Amino acid sequence: MTQATSAKVTKLNRVERNAWTKQKIFDAATKVVGKYGYAEASVARITEVADVAQGTFYNHFENRQELLDQLLPKIGLDMVHFIRARTGTADEARQEIERFSAFFDFIREVPEFLRILNEAEFFAPAGYQKHFDNISSAYLRILQRARAAGATSTFSDEEFEAIVQVLMGARGYLSRRYSYSEHGVTAVPDHVISAYRKLVTHGLFNVPDEETKS
Amino acid sequence: MTQATSAKVTKLNRVERNAWTKQKIFDAATKVVGKYGYAEASVARITEVADVAQGTFYNHFENRQELLDQLLPKIGLDMVHFIRARTGTADEARQEIERFSAFFDFIREVPEFLRILNEAEFFAPAGYQKHFDNISSAYLRILQRARAAGATSTFSDEEFEAIVQVLMGARGYLSRRYSYSEHGVTAVPDHVISAYRKLVTHGLFNVPDEETKS
Amino acid sequence: MTQATSAKVTKLNRVERNAWTKQKIFDAATKVVGKYGYAEASVARITEVADVAQGTFYNHFENRQELLDQLLPKIGLDMVHFIRARTGTADEARQEIERFSAFFDFIREVPEFLRILNEAEFFAPAGYQKHFDNISSAYLRILQRARAAGATSTFSDEEFEAIVQVLMGARGYLSRRYSYSEHGVTAVPDHVISAYRKLVTHGLFNVPDEETKS
Amino acid sequence: MTQATSAKVTKLNRVERNAWTKQKIFDAATKVVGKYGYAEASVARITEVADVAQGTFYNHFENRQELLDQLLPKIGLDMVHFIRARTGTADEARQEIERFSAFFDFIREVPEFLRILNEAEFFAPAGYQKHFDNISSAYLRILQRARAAGATSTFSDEEFEAIVQVLMGARGYLSRRYSYSEHGVTAVPDHVISAYRKLVTHGLFNVPDEETKS
DNA sequence: TATGAATGAGATTTCATTCAT
DNA sequence: AATGAATGAAATCTCATTCAT
């Protein structure tokens, strides 16, 4: 997916060679950041993994930050497609659980994603912003559509925006807590999924009777 | 709170002077990290703000990291006390909303907290770990007590652990989205609070009838 | 000899420029260590003399120590060649005196050598080790060959190893005592040479008759 | 010998307390330099071992260097006495072997001596100078007396001075090579002693007949 | 377009010495 | 005389970026 085809290098025209070099750098950055984090992703290290000279880097990217900021949005789109493909046509609550599970499946598919996502806020703020805009607007539409279908509790648009943050926060924190391990990324335990399902379907607290109308 | 009293400097004995200097460094670090982030919090900058020599720093802290790792747990305890003081004796759901609101109030009291919290995971992992252990164990006890009082839906201990992550993730992500602004920290909008209340009391989705037993 | 040719700098290709820069650093280090000693040979000072930026240093040497450890063995080889070229085909005792004299001649040729040699044990232990292995194994072979030619008193291989240490110690201590002076390095006095000759040809003490068989 | 009596500290008058503190620092320095070398002998480390405050150091020594420069001469005198006590009344050649052996015995008695001696040249030049003046003048007198007794080959005073350097160089280099080991200081092998004896009694090389008169 | 050596600012840390108490 | 916190200069090393070939 983010893998540069290692096919024949010969017989490429100028444009193709150019794109191929850029892709090599991009893939190298994904690997390096995914494995060692943004802080350790020096231009020297990235270009070494990409097997190009340091100077070559600057023929393709304005500076180090530009590349780092492109990392998350690109993989983020992969994630959206991955999740969409795994979401069925059951009722809305079930679909949300499917999306939730698919998120963790994606993390295992692309182990670099977790680190790239989590660190981006501080090391690639522009990329983080872009990714979050992508995700949250998509998520918001999903919720609005569910509401239109009468499948949700009563939430205003503004409240939905907040809910989107909560749901993304849940994924972010849970993945940090449950997906990291010594070597590689592990599957998320079932009780995490069930806890999430209960929360989004019934809430957390029983409400005393007289308050149920609020 | 984390502010060194700038009262009389004269007439302090050796022990007091020593503590006072350390506190000056600590306060300076809080300010600097809160304003510019850990990455920009060089020892040079911190000691400049603290108005001590760079060498003095190393009389009080083993190294830069040690100080950074102390920052979050210390302020985190302030937060716990702050929230506890603002939590009443109403029903459990209301108390949770009070805690939630109080969290955002605390952020406004100590504007540095937000940045110190959010960046700690990567720049002060030991401190982050300590803080999160503090918070999540306290939170877990709260939920268990509520469950014992029959105030929550049916969750296992393991599920509660996951819920704690979700609730902390909610605070983390919402505060990033709604509390930051150009200059300083703003109050969180009411619809964020109402969205949170609805989620924890009723959940997000209506569940089709035949599923209600699950 | 260890002097970078200051000839045309222009018209060098990349490889040549690279080697030339490294040689400039090397020569600068030789000068600096020779004049001020290892302790004062900071990277800042060396690069200033070499007229390159500090960062350039680390393109050519892993770290400061690596350079320092290369200094002695490199010049040490120059010394070996120098001495070998000055050693004739007279009897073994005379050859040893020639080598001894040539050692002091070399010191005057390369005045930096003395300090680089003497301080290396503590400031560049790896380089010192390498140099001494070079020298002592060569020296040992010389003695063994002389013994095979019946030109020495009766010594075992182990005793020869000790003798090598003594002969090197003699050069080391004598050069410290007689070659240093206010400014620059002076020739060694004749009586030093004659004393050495007498020692290695007749020993120091007359032996009472009854002991001569031991 | 260099050990501060750890007897009653109480009941000392001002002068005694003063001397006792100075001795504590001195002993600590001996230990530290002997074990870790001059370079690692920071004032902080020495005073910590001596169990006094850093500032106290400067009540007894002008500066760090002054102390370091006193170390070697003081222990050097101990060595002279030690060797003298071990030298018998046999013929001069045997006495020299006794002195040589006693030197290595002393090294084992006072293991710190070796390092303090070897590093002094560069880290405590003044102390090194003083020590060497002490030793070499004493040594010179020994040789002159032996010559007066007709026990040596024909050497002039100047040649004797050079010989003294050679003999000291022999001890220095041999001790570095044969006395150091992983932990502690080891006895010198017999073949080192026999090699030395042969050298000083018979010389190293057989001299062709026609040269024997030179 | 690719190369990779050169740059130099900036970061952390050490440590001999001072000095007020 | 003893204390130990404060000082600040100096050292090593990193790394994003430039630029001549």
Side-chain angles (χ1 to χ4, degrees), chain A residues 20-56:
Chain A
W20 186 66
T21 301
K22 184 165 185 174
Q23 188 63 40
K24 277 202 300 182
I25 295 172
F26 207 91
D27 292 344
T30 303
K31 275 188 215 155
V32 170
V33 175
K35 190 159 184 185
Y36 304 103
Y38 289 88
E40 307 285 307
S42 63
V43 173
R45 197 166 199 170
I46 292 171
T47 51
E48 191 196 327
V49 171
D51 202 29
V52 300
Q54 264 183 265
T56 303

Side-chain angles (χ1 to χ4, degrees), chain C residues 121 159 176 194 200 204-205, chain D residues 121 159 176 194 200 204:
Chain C
E121 182 180 5
E159 288 172 338
R176 284 179 205 170
S194 65
V200 298
L204 174 56
F205 295 101
Chain D
E121 182 181 4
E159 287 172 338
R176 284 180 203 172
S194 65
V200 297
L204 174 57

Side-chain angles (χ1 to χ4, degrees), chain A residues 11-23 60:
Chain A
K11 305 290 184 181
L12 293 180
N13 63 29
R14 210 176 313 173
V15 173
E16 286 168 335
R17 265 195 76 87
N18 202 357
W20 186 66
T21 301
K22 184 165 185 174
Q23 188 63 40
H60 298 277

